[in-house]
Amino acid sequence: SPIPGPKRDSFLYGNVPALRRCVKEKGSLGAFYLELTQQYGTIFHHWMATTPVVVLNEPSIVKDFISEDAGFVRGPFDGSDDSFLHKLRLNKTVISLETI
């Protein structure tokens, strides 16, 4: 089933206009994510311009997501070829954009 989340405010800007409004009104970026969590649950997506962002707000899910069983080897978070973030960017099986 698709990952829930808001529709884009704009094709080019995604949900950035809503994010900016929320930060301006409530004074923090956290307020934007709190609103989305309350509306869509602990796993949702939104768009930063044309880039989809999937948010995982449940520690057990994050733990499962980064476990070795999920295809990621724990390592540094420094952007090197051996880092978790680099492996996350390369792994195309984690999330299909067709589900968003």
Side-chain angles (χ1 to χ4, degrees):
S1 67
I3 298 171
K7 292 184 178 183
R8 296 180 192 190
D9 298 324
S10 152
F11 179 76
L12 289 177
Y13 299 112
N15 299 115
V16 172
L19 183 147
R20 291 184 68 184
R21 277 192 304 276
C22 191
V23 169
K24 186 176 180 180
E25 291 171 7
K26 301 191 177 176
S28 78
L29 179 62
F32 176 72
Y33 286 101
L34 180 60
E35 283 184 11
L36 292 178
T37 299
Q38 290 170 340
Q39 187 169 1
Y40 298 106
T42 57
I43 300 175
F44 60 88
H45 82 278
H46 68 89
W47 294 85
M48 292 298 268
T50 58
T51 303
V53 176
V54 175
V55 179
L56 307 173
N57 277 328
E58 192 170 316
S60 63
I61 294 172
V62 173
K63 183 180 176 182
D64 290 343
F65 185 76
I66 63 174
S67 74
E68 290 182 21
D69 294 336
F72 298 108
V73 177
R74 294 174 192 217
F77 284 80
D78 60 8
S80 67
D81 286 351
D82 292 328
S83 77
F84 166 75
L85 296 175
H86 180 77
K87 291 179 189 328
L88 182 61
R89 281 188 223 114
L90 292 178
N91 188 333
K92 295 181 168 94
T93 63
V94 175
I95 294 174
S96 167
L97 295 180
E98 294 170 7
T99 64
I100 297 178

